[in-house]
Amino acid sequence: MNSLRSSSLVVAAAIAMAAFGAAPIAQGTASTQRGGAAKPGPKPTTTPAPKATPAPKTPPPPTDPREIVAETQKRATVTSQHYEGTLQVLESGGKVSTKHWTYDRLGSNGASKTIIRFTEPAEVKGVALLIFNYPDRASDQWMWTPALNRERRVATQDRRTRFFGTDFSFEDLEERDVARSQYVMSGTETIDGQACWKIESTPLAGARSQYTKAILWIRKSNFTYAQIDNYTDAKLIRRISYKNMEQVQGVWTARTLDVQDFTRNSRTTLTLDALKYNVPLTDSQFTIEALRRG
């Protein structure tokens, strides 16, 4: 309909221009018929048509896999973030449990600080995790357990364990800068009807991880993750699917994360509520003392 309407407007404009241009000729013919030669009038002046401004060129999308991952990271860059998370955990035996946490993050691109704090149910309320992410090495993590009234540092070798009954491991909750892995393009595939780049990522030497590789599916339309598969050797360990995409303050964001643990045959669905970016947070809110205070 819009195309047809635009064509009609162009035709209408052309008819108006033709009628306006014919008027001086009709007047000159009438003067000659009344007798006497028509006096030469002033020479018509012509106004040069304005030069059309060329449309800005849209840069072609990157084809190098590292550039694609870097662009994905760049578009998600914010100064801070807050949300309230609802986690539904489906165990292998069919039992379903629900947990709630709050998530606050200051900084971005692997150089950030995060606090995750459970608010429900009663048996996990107050349990919290403080994470310091670095661009060039593994994160530092401390966990606070109210029942023990103390915090403990999470050792690197413990990062593969589940975080309090969810299907997120401690390692899954840290950030890794794009520069800590190498990337190989594996082609394109469609995930949930969206065309995606398929990229294989492997940690660089020295970047310790429980996973030996990850397969990334990144949507071509908006440079967001559609799915990540994590492997140890040839074994698929964990799959994270990013769903219900929305623009929040100009940032394309998955409002639902679906995490499958294939070793335990369990699944956790995380829903992000009350999500805000660039909220006023300070470094003092991300300390061991703040972790204890709650």
Side-chain angles (χ1 to χ4, degrees):
M1 181 65 184
N2 288 340
S3 176
L4 177 59
R5 185 177 179 186
S6 298
S7 299
S8 300
L9 289 173
V10 171
V11 171
I15 294 173
M17 290 292 287
F20 183 78
I25 299 175
Q27 290 174 357
T29 304
S31 177
T32 305
Q33 288 176 346
R34 284 196 296 266
K39 295 180 179 180
K43 292 183 179 180
T45 57
T46 57
T47 302
K51 293 183 179 179
T53 303
K57 293 183 179 180
T58 302
T63 55
D64 179 82
R66 190 183 187 282
E67 291 181 5
I68 292 170
V69 177
E71 181 67 18
T72 301
Q73 177 176 283
K74 177 183 175 182
R75 295 193 185 197
T77 298
V78 293
T79 59
S80 60
Q81 178 184 4
H82 168 84
Y83 72 79
E84 298 170 5
T86 299
L87 303 101
Q88 290 215 328
V89 183
L90 174 62
E91 302 289 351
S92 57
K95 179 184 176 182
V96 179
S97 61
T98 302
K99 295 177 171 66
H100 297 270
W101 71 28
T102 59
Y103 177 102
D104 289 287
R105 171 171 161 264
L106 180 64
S108 60
N109 295 351
S112 63
K113 301 174 182 179
T114 298
I115 281 189
I116 299 172
R117 194 179 302 276
F118 282 105
T119 57
E120 292 183 67
E123 59 264 28
V124 296
K125 184 176 181 179
V127 171
L129 182 69
L130 173 64
I131 307 171
F132 283 11
N133 292 298
Y134 306 102
D136 55 352
R137 63 183 177 91
S139 65
D140 291 327
Q141 297 186 4
W142 298 267
M143 188 170 68
W144 168 257
T145 308
L148 301 177
N149 196 33
R150 67 179 180 86
E151 78 282 346
R152 72 173 179 87
R153 191 182 183 96
V154 182
T156 303
Q157 61 268 23
D158 294 333
R159 303 287 172 90
R160 67 180 61 219
T161 58
R162 301 175 79 196
F163 179 52
F164 266 77
T166 72
D167 288 298
F168 291 96
S169 70
F170 283 87
E171 182 179 337
D172 296 331
L173 297 172
E174 72 176 15
E175 296 175 8
R176 294 202 167 213
D177 187 73
V178 63
R180 293 184 63 198
S181 299
Q182 57 187 4
Y183 306 94
V184 175
M185 181 67 73
S186 298
T188 59
E189 284 187 4
T190 299
I191 299 288
D192 294 330
Q194 293 284 315
C196 299
W197 289 289
K198 183 180 179 182
I199 298 171
E200 181 174 320
S201 167
T202 53
L204 292 175
R208 297 179 61 181
S209 174
Q210 63 180 304
Y211 307 119
T212 54
K213 72 174 181 179
I215 306 298
L216 319 175
W217 284 266
I218 298 176
R219 296 179 182 91
K220 293 184 176 184
S221 59
N222 54 16
F223 288 86
T224 59
Y225 288 109
Q227 182 174 298
I228 297 178
D229 283 2
N230 291 308
Y231 288 80
T232 298
D233 297 324
K235 184 179 180 180
L236 176 59
I237 303 297
R238 187 169 282 105
R239 170 174 292 162
I240 304 177
S241 301
Y242 298 78
K243 302 178 179 180
N244 297 331
M245 302 301 298
E246 290 184 10
Q247 268 200 326
V248 179
Q249 296 170 239
V251 179
W252 279 108
T253 307
R255 300 301 294 260
T256 303
L257 277 69
D258 188 69
V259 185
Q260 292 178 266
D261 187 322
F262 291 96
T263 60
R264 301 183 64 260
N265 193 27
S266 58
R267 178 193 299 261
T268 296
T269 301
L270 169 62
T271 304
L272 280 58
D273 298 312
L275 173 63
K276 294 180 181 179
Y277 292 121
N278 303 321
V279 293
L281 299 174
T282 63
D283 286 320
S284 62
Q285 295 172 258
F286 300 86
T287 63
I288 299 294
E289 291 74 20
L291 188 69
R292 294 171 183 154
R293 288 195 304 265

